[in-house]
């Protein structure tokens, strides 16, 4: 070793005859041979792929990977613009640093991905990955593929991919920018992006795997289709932390089965729902969705959107909030969730959410009337909540018909606090914002309900709970401005007081317990 270092430093000869094995170079010395079939550049045992033989950068990278063999390690690509026509198959124990190189894939066969990540099972369980690289394609091609062969994709069989890290990697303008195959686990994506996928920015076609997939400060942008697409995640878990899904034409996330976990970040675009899935109601086909941590949703459309989220499938378990903010300056939103899931074990929990641009704080209800939900926990908002402030949520303890008594939400079953529902058996007889409970099921809520628009409908009820547990209306304020006390109401066994009362100089005329006139004040 020492003889080689001395020769290079002392002579600086532009060419020499011997072939140097780059894997045998150690220390801090730089050894460089001239360009040519055996040209290799090595620094601290790092191979520079662009110096290897090959007709394109793909062939050069594959030559460097072959040189590495089972020793794994780091391969670098010098900064610059490259064309790639040879598919790269990268073992999971290899790390490739692109030094912000731009690589353009010239292939057009969608079955042949430009870059495949994964190894056979006997490769050491070590971390590798890619960093600082931009891979650019076309609308007919497939970009970066992970794991073993699924369907007609031309990738090795029997490989798997796990514990790799992809940092500052940009894949753009392919048909599907990223495709996840079979046998993929615990991949991490940091500060990267997927842009302009013609079909999707991320496509999961795997029949297994996808456990604990982690995305942090990652963005999915400007797909002509979906930002993320999989019609059957089959038990997968995708975690998106402070990520952005923006302006993907068909929506942000489309998935069935498995779990999506979103904390913080941002979704924006002109088409809702932002999260949707296939209408498949089969045993075991269910979705888990957790969205929390101050995630911001911006609806840039100028028409009324039906919902932000749509729940399909069967026996779903969704947790939405708390701390979600919704901006929709150009178009209204009818409801937060369009719940279409079938089954007899659906669960929905919604934390406090708000529209800070609205005077009322919240401008749309959580879920539609009649939603098939067996366990429900949603917030209650007042009409006059200040911007950005919310009211503590109420919780439904039981969904059994006619068992909910007393103050509270009381919105499930054929009867609500012994008052008949508008439609017997529905989950929510009226989709509005409630400060109390909907006792009579006619749309008026106990306390103010902004969704009562007719002047001949009561918008504010005064109720009392009788000894037998039922509720009786003692007074109503109508949207038209007048007050009504139902006839026959008894207080302590007597009809309401009729006559006059004085308070200081004021004389109050009372009819049936109701003040009808005040004079002398």
């Amino acid at each position: 070793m020492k003889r080689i270092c001395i020769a290079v430093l002392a002579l600086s000869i532009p060419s020499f005859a011997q072939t140097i094995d780059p894997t045998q170079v150690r220390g801090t010395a730089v050894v460089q041979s001239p360009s040519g079939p055996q040209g290799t550049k090595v620094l601290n045992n790092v191979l520079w792929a662009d110096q290897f033989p090959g007709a394109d950068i793909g062939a050069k990278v594959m030559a460097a990977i072959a040189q590495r063999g089972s020793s794994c390690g780091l391969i670098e690509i010098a900064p610059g613009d490259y064309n790639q026509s040879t598919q790269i198959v990268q073992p999971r124990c290899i790390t490739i640093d692109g030094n912000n190189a731009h690589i353009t894939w010239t292939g057009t066969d969608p079955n042949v991905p430009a870059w495949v990540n994964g190894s056979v099972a006997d490769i050491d369980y070590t971390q590798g990955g890619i960093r600082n690289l931009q891979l650019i394609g076309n609308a007919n091609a497939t970009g970066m593929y992970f794991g073993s062969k699924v369907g007609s994709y031309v990738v090795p069989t029997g490989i798997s991919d796990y514990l790799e890290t992809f940092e500052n990697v940009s894949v753009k303008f392919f048909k599907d920018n990223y495709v996840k195959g079979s046998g993929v686990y615990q991949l991490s994506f940091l500060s990267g992006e997927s842009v302009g996928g013609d079909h999707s920015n991320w496509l999961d076609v795997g029949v297994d795997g996808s456990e604990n997939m982690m995305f942090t400060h990652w963005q999915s942008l400007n797909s002509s289709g979906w930002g993320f697409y999989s019609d059957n995640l089959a038990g997968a878990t995708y975690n998106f932390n402070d990520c952005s899904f923006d302006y993907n034409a068909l929506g942000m996330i489309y998935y069935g089965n498995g779990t999506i976990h979103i904390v913080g970040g941002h979704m924006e675009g002109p088409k809702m729902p932002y999260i949707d899935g296939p209408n498949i109601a089969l045993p075991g086909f269910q979705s888990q969705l957790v969205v929390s941590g101050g995630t911001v949703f911006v609806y840039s459309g100028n028409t009324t959107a039906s919902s932000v989220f749509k729940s399909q499938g069967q026996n779903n378990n969704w947790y939405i909030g708390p701390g979600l903010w919704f901006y929709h300056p150009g178009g209204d939103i009818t409801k937060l969730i369009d719940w279409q899931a079938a089954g007899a074990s659906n669960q929905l929990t919604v934390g406090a959410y708000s529209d800070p641009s609205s005077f009322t704080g919240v401008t749309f209800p959580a879920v539609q009337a009649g939603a098939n939900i067996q366990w429900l926990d949603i917030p209650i908002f007042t009409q006059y909540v200040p911007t950005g402030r919310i009211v503590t949520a109420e919780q439904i303890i039981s969904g059994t018909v006619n068992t909910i008594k007393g103050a509270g939400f009381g919105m499930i079953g054929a009867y609500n606090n012994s008052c008949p529902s508008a439609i017997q058996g529905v989950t929510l007889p009226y989709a509005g914002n409630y400060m109390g409970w909907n006792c009579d099921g006619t749309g008026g809520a106990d306390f103010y309900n902004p969704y009562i628009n007719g002047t001949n409908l009561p918008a504010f009820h005064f109720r009392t709970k009788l000894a037998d547990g039922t509720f009786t209306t003692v007074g109503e304020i109508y949207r038209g401005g007048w007050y009504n006390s139902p006839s026959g109401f008894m207080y302590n066994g007597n009809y309401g007081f009729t006559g006059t009362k004085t308070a200081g100089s004021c004389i109050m005329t009372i009819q049936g317990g109701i003040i009808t006139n005040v004079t002398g004040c």
Side-chain angles (χ1 to χ4, degrees):
M1 284 298 190
K2 188 176 292 185
R3 291 179 58 194
I4 294 175
C5 293
I6 292 172
V8 172
L9 296 175
L11 299 178
S12 300
I13 299 174
S15 64
F16 45 86
Q18 70 266 34
T19 298
I20 299 174
D21 182 359
T23 64
Q24 300 304 311
V25 178
R26 297 292 186 269
T28 60
V30 176
V31 179
Q32 183 171 357
S33 63
S35 60
Q38 299 298 321
T40 305
K41 183 179 180 182
V42 182
L43 172 63
N44 293 343
N45 198 27
V46 174
L47 305 187
W48 288 83
D50 52 282
Q51 294 297 312
F52 275 76
D56 66 292
I57 193 62
K60 291 174 180 289
V61 170
M62 290 301 294
I65 290 173
Q67 181 68 63
R68 275 293 181 209
S70 61
S71 64
C72 302
L74 177 62
I75 295 175
E76 300 219 27
I77 301 172
D81 296 318
Y82 302 90
N83 286 332
Q84 178 193 355
S85 58
T86 302
Q87 183 187 69
I88 294 173
V89 179
Q90 177 184 345
R92 63 174 179 264
C93 67
I94 294 285
T95 296
I96 294 180
D97 191 332
N99 292 288
N100 296 320
H102 294 180
I103 298 177
T104 300
W105 174 249
T106 59
T108 57
D109 186 346
N111 292 315
V112 181
W115 203 300
V116 179
N117 294 273
S119 304
V120 295
D122 58 356
I123 295 293
D124 290 339
Y125 197 84
T126 55
Q127 290 184 334
I130 304 173
R131 59 190 184 221
N132 306 320
L133 180 74
Q134 186 171 131
L135 183 62
I136 305 166
N138 58 79
N140 297 315
T142 297
M144 196 167 287
Y145 188 100
F146 307 95
S148 189
K149 176 184 177 68
V150 174
S152 59
Y153 288 103
V154 181
V155 301
T157 58
I159 66 174
S160 57
D161 197 21
Y162 40 75
L163 286 179
E164 288 205 273
T165 299
F166 301 85
E167 182 177 1
N168 191 30
V169 175
S170 172
V171 181
K172 55 181 61 176
F173 307 140
F174 288 87
K175 177 182 179 182
D176 294 294
N177 288 333
Y178 290 93
V179 178
K180 177 261 164 190
S182 180
V184 179
Y185 313 92
Q186 295 174 275
L187 301 185
S188 296
F189 297 82
L190 307 175
S191 301
E193 65 177 0
S194 182
V195 179
D198 190 63
H199 173 259
S200 73
N201 282 339
W202 181 282
L203 175 63
D204 189 322
V205 297
V207 294
D208 60 12
S210 301
E211 297 173 6
N212 199 25
M213 304 284 282
M214 183 68 69
F215 297 75
T216 304
H217 299 290
W218 186 83
Q219 74 168 356
S220 173
L221 177 66
N222 288 342
S223 171
S224 298
W226 287 88
F228 175 99
Y229 186 94
S230 178
D231 55 10
N232 189 354
L233 288 182
T237 303
Y238 277 87
N239 304 285
F240 296 100
N241 298 320
D242 297 314
C243 295
S244 292
F245 288 81
D246 294 330
Y247 290 91
N248 298 298
L250 297 183
M252 307 307 160
I253 296 176
Y254 183 97
Y255 84 108
N257 230 346
T259 299
I260 299 287
H261 187 192
I262 301 171
V263 179
H266 180 269
M267 289 190 182
E268 180 174 349
K271 188 177 187 302
M272 284 189 169
Y274 284 167
I275 298 180
D276 199 351
N279 185 17
I280 299 176
L282 297 175
F285 195 96
Q286 62 179 162
S287 68
Q288 317 291 322
L289 177 65
V290 179
V291 185
S292 60
T295 308
V296 176
F297 299 84
V298 179
Y299 175 49
S300 61
N302 54 16
T303 60
T304 299
S306 62
S307 64
V308 182
F309 311 123
K310 188 172 184 179
S311 176
Q312 307 250 39
Q314 177 170 288
N315 296 334
N316 293 342
N317 183 0
W318 282 24
Y319 182 95
I320 309 297
L324 306 188
W325 283 29
F326 300 89
Y327 295 92
H328 48 102
D332 291 331
I333 300 173
T334 302
K335 53 187 171 293
L336 180 62
I337 305 165
D338 181 8
W339 194 277
Q340 299 296 332
S345 185
N346 288 291
Q347 302 179 51
L348 173 62
T349 299
V350 179
Y353 59 98
S354 64
D355 176 1
S357 62
S358 167
F359 174 76
T360 62
V362 173
T363 59
F364 48 91
V367 69
Q368 78 272 21
N372 178 39
I373 304 171
Q374 284 70 44
W375 196 96
L376 180 67
D377 182 356
I378 66 176
I380 297 173
F381 297 97
T382 68
Q383 171 71 353
Y384 300 108
V385 57
T387 296
R389 297 185 60 186
I390 55 178
V391 176
T392 302
E394 293 285 345
Q395 176 175 310
I396 292 179
I397 303 301
S398 172
T400 305
V401 171
N402 206 28
T403 61
I404 301 173
K405 300 291 183 182
F409 208 55
M411 300 280 286
I412 284 184
Y415 290 88
N416 306 304
N417 297 325
S418 298
C419 300
S421 300
I423 302 175
Q424 290 190 1
V426 301
T427 303
L428 295 175
Y430 190 83
N433 295 338
Y434 297 98
M435 185 175 171
W437 61 90
N438 183 308
C439 179
D440 53 21
T442 61
D446 293 318
F447 309 134
Y448 188 73
N449 182 350
Y451 286 88
I452 296 299
N453 295 318
T455 56
N456 293 324
L457 295 175
F460 196 111
H461 298 299
F462 297 92
R463 302 188 195 273
T464 187
K465 184 178 180 180
L466 304 182
D468 62 0
T470 63
F471 285 79
T472 297
T473 301
V474 299
E476 299 169 330
I477 297 178
Y478 280 68
R479 197 59 180 264
W482 62 86
Y483 177 85
N484 175 61
S485 179
S487 61
F489 171 68
M490 299 182 66
Y491 180 73
N492 288 337
N494 298 310
Y495 287 99
F497 176 81
T498 298
T500 59
K501 294 284 186 179
T502 60
S505 62
C506 299
I507 301 174
M508 296 173 287
T509 302
I510 302 173
Q511 180 67 39
I514 306 302
I515 299 174
T516 59
N517 188 43
V518 178
T519 59
C521 294

PDB file of all heavy atoms in Angstrom, residues 428-441:
ATOM      1  N   LEU A 428     -77.613   9.191  12.505  1.00  0.00           N
ATOM      2  CA  LEU A 428     -77.763  10.614  12.756  1.00  0.00           C
ATOM      3  C   LEU A 428     -79.007  11.109  12.034  1.00  0.00           C
ATOM      4  O   LEU A 428     -79.011  11.215  10.811  1.00  0.00           O
ATOM      5  CB  LEU A 428     -76.537  11.386  12.247  1.00  0.00           C
ATOM      6  CG  LEU A 428     -75.222  11.091  12.962  1.00  0.00           C
ATOM      7  CD1 LEU A 428     -74.089  11.841  12.275  1.00  0.00           C
ATOM      8  CD2 LEU A 428     -75.300  11.480  14.415  1.00  0.00           C
ATOM      9  N   PRO A 429     -80.072  11.401  12.751  1.00  0.00           N
ATOM     10  CA  PRO A 429     -81.288  11.824  12.066  1.00  0.00           C
ATOM     11  C   PRO A 429     -81.172  13.172  11.380  1.00  0.00           C
ATOM     12  O   PRO A 429     -81.959  13.484  10.520  1.00  0.00           O
ATOM     13  CB  PRO A 429     -82.322  11.862  13.188  1.00  0.00           C
ATOM     14  CG  PRO A 429     -81.528  11.986  14.441  1.00  0.00           C
ATOM     15  CD  PRO A 429     -80.255  11.268  14.199  1.00  0.00           C
ATOM     16  N   TYR A 430     -80.172  13.966  11.785  1.00  0.00           N
ATOM     17  CA  TYR A 430     -79.987  15.236  11.094  1.00  0.00           C
ATOM     18  C   TYR A 430     -78.521  15.586  11.107  1.00  0.00           C
ATOM     19  O   TYR A 430     -77.857  15.457  12.130  1.00  0.00           O
ATOM     20  CB  TYR A 430     -80.803  16.356  11.754  1.00  0.00           C
ATOM     21  CG  TYR A 430     -80.813  17.614  10.925  1.00  0.00           C
ATOM     22  CD1 TYR A 430     -81.707  17.756   9.871  1.00  0.00           C
ATOM     23  CD2 TYR A 430     -79.892  18.622  11.155  1.00  0.00           C
ATOM     24  CE1 TYR A 430     -81.698  18.893   9.083  1.00  0.00           C
ATOM     25  CE2 TYR A 430     -79.878  19.754  10.372  1.00  0.00           C
ATOM     26  CZ  TYR A 430     -80.792  19.883   9.334  1.00  0.00           C
ATOM     27  OH  TYR A 430     -80.772  20.999   8.554  1.00  0.00           O
ATOM     28  N   ALA A 431     -78.001  15.988   9.952  1.00  0.00           N
ATOM     29  CA  ALA A 431     -76.576  16.316   9.855  1.00  0.00           C
ATOM     30  C   ALA A 431     -76.387  17.802  10.109  1.00  0.00           C
ATOM     31  O   ALA A 431     -76.511  18.612   9.218  1.00  0.00           O
ATOM     32  CB  ALA A 431     -76.040  15.940   8.483  1.00  0.00           C
ATOM     33  N   GLY A 432     -76.136  18.180  11.329  1.00  0.00           N
ATOM     34  CA  GLY A 432     -75.935  19.576  11.663  1.00  0.00           C
ATOM     35  C   GLY A 432     -74.884  19.725  12.740  1.00  0.00           C
ATOM     36  O   GLY A 432     -74.306  18.749  13.200  1.00  0.00           O
ATOM     37  N   ASN A 433     -74.655  20.947  13.181  1.00  0.00           N
ATOM     38  CA  ASN A 433     -73.742  21.191  14.285  1.00  0.00           C
ATOM     39  C   ASN A 433     -74.566  21.338  15.555  1.00  0.00           C
ATOM     40  O   ASN A 433     -75.444  22.188  15.632  1.00  0.00           O
ATOM     41  CB  ASN A 433     -72.934  22.478  14.041  1.00  0.00           C
ATOM     42  CG  ASN A 433     -72.027  22.325  12.850  1.00  0.00           C
ATOM     43  OD1 ASN A 433     -71.695  21.214  12.477  1.00  0.00           O
ATOM     44  ND2 ASN A 433     -71.625  23.436  12.264  1.00  0.00           N
ATOM     45  N   TYR A 434     -74.281  20.515  16.568  1.00  0.00           N
ATOM     46  CA  TYR A 434     -75.136  20.462  17.741  1.00  0.00           C
ATOM     47  C   TYR A 434     -74.394  20.900  18.993  1.00  0.00           C
ATOM     48  O   TYR A 434     -73.261  20.485  19.222  1.00  0.00           O
ATOM     49  CB  TYR A 434     -75.660  19.041  17.944  1.00  0.00           C
ATOM     50  CG  TYR A 434     -76.521  18.569  16.809  1.00  0.00           C
ATOM     51  CD1 TYR A 434     -75.974  17.776  15.806  1.00  0.00           C
ATOM     52  CD2 TYR A 434     -77.845  18.946  16.724  1.00  0.00           C
ATOM     53  CE1 TYR A 434     -76.752  17.360  14.747  1.00  0.00           C
ATOM     54  CE2 TYR A 434     -78.623  18.539  15.668  1.00  0.00           C
ATOM     55  CZ  TYR A 434     -78.080  17.748  14.676  1.00  0.00           C
ATOM     56  OH  TYR A 434     -78.849  17.339  13.623  1.00  0.00           O
ATOM     57  N   MET A 435     -75.080  21.707  19.766  1.00  0.00           N
ATOM     58  CA  MET A 435     -74.552  22.057  21.075  1.00  0.00           C
ATOM     59  C   MET A 435     -75.170  21.157  22.136  1.00  0.00           C
ATOM     60  O   MET A 435     -74.646  20.971  23.208  1.00  0.00           O
ATOM     61  CB  MET A 435     -74.857  23.525  21.373  1.00  0.00           C
ATOM     62  CG  MET A 435     -74.259  24.045  22.672  1.00  0.00           C
ATOM     63  SD  MET A 435     -74.555  25.801  22.827  1.00  0.00           S
ATOM     64  CE  MET A 435     -74.004  26.059  24.519  1.00  0.00           C
ATOM     65  N   GLY A 436     -76.306  20.565  21.829  1.00  0.00           N
ATOM     66  CA  GLY A 436     -76.980  19.642  22.736  1.00  0.00           C
ATOM     67  C   GLY A 436     -77.400  18.411  21.988  1.00  0.00           C
ATOM     68  O   GLY A 436     -76.649  17.882  21.194  1.00  0.00           O
ATOM     69  N   TRP A 437     -78.612  17.935  22.173  1.00  0.00           N
ATOM     70  CA  TRP A 437     -79.076  16.724  21.519  1.00  0.00           C
ATOM     71  C   TRP A 437     -80.279  17.017  20.645  1.00  0.00           C
ATOM     72  O   TRP A 437     -81.007  17.975  20.870  1.00  0.00           O
ATOM     73  CB  TRP A 437     -79.424  15.651  22.558  1.00  0.00           C
ATOM     74  CG  TRP A 437     -80.529  16.074  23.482  1.00  0.00           C
ATOM     75  CD1 TRP A 437     -81.854  15.899  23.329  1.00  0.00           C
ATOM     76  CD2 TRP A 437     -80.367  16.800  24.695  1.00  0.00           C
ATOM     77  NE1 TRP A 437     -82.544  16.449  24.350  1.00  0.00           N
ATOM     78  CE2 TRP A 437     -81.665  17.015  25.213  1.00  0.00           C
ATOM     79  CE3 TRP A 437     -79.260  17.290  25.388  1.00  0.00           C
ATOM     80  CZ2 TRP A 437     -81.868  17.685  26.408  1.00  0.00           C
ATOM     81  CZ3 TRP A 437     -79.476  17.957  26.576  1.00  0.00           C
ATOM     82  CH2 TRP A 437     -80.756  18.158  27.078  1.00  0.00           C
ATOM     83  N   ASN A 438     -80.520  16.181  19.676  1.00  0.00           N
ATOM     84  CA  ASN A 438     -81.706  16.303  18.831  1.00  0.00           C
ATOM     85  C   ASN A 438     -82.768  15.373  19.404  1.00  0.00           C
ATOM     86  O   ASN A 438     -82.803  14.198  19.088  1.00  0.00           O
ATOM     87  CB  ASN A 438     -81.345  15.912  17.394  1.00  0.00           C
ATOM     88  CG  ASN A 438     -82.519  16.097  16.456  1.00  0.00           C
ATOM     89  OD1 ASN A 438     -83.606  15.610  16.702  1.00  0.00           O
ATOM     90  ND2 ASN A 438     -82.281  16.793  15.375  1.00  0.00           N
ATOM     91  N   CYS A 439     -83.627  15.901  20.255  1.00  0.00           N
ATOM     92  CA  CYS A 439     -84.562  15.041  20.962  1.00  0.00           C
ATOM     93  C   CYS A 439     -85.707  14.584  20.083  1.00  0.00           C
ATOM     94  O   CYS A 439     -86.030  13.416  20.017  1.00  0.00           O
ATOM     95  CB  CYS A 439     -85.100  15.786  22.180  1.00  0.00           C
ATOM     96  SG  CYS A 439     -86.292  14.832  23.148  1.00  0.00           S
ATOM     97  N   ASP A 440     -86.324  15.529  19.369  1.00  0.00           N
ATOM     98  CA  ASP A 440     -87.536  15.165  18.645  1.00  0.00           C
ATOM     99  C   ASP A 440     -87.262  14.693  17.226  1.00  0.00           C
ATOM    100  O   ASP A 440     -88.175  14.277  16.516  1.00  0.00           O
ATOM    101  CB  ASP A 440     -88.523  16.333  18.623  1.00  0.00           C
ATOM    102  CG  ASP A 440     -87.892  17.616  18.098  1.00  0.00           C
ATOM    103  OD1 ASP A 440     -86.870  17.509  17.397  1.00  0.00           O
ATOM    104  OD2 ASP A 440     -88.406  18.695  18.390  1.00  0.00           O
ATOM    105  N   GLY A 441     -86.009  14.760  16.771  1.00  0.00           N
ATOM    106  CA  GLY A 441     -85.674  14.214  15.467  1.00  0.00           C
ATOM    107  C   GLY A 441     -86.224  14.986  14.292  1.00  0.00           C
ATOM    108  O   GLY A 441     -86.251  14.488  13.172  1.00  0.00           O
TER     109      GLY A 441
END
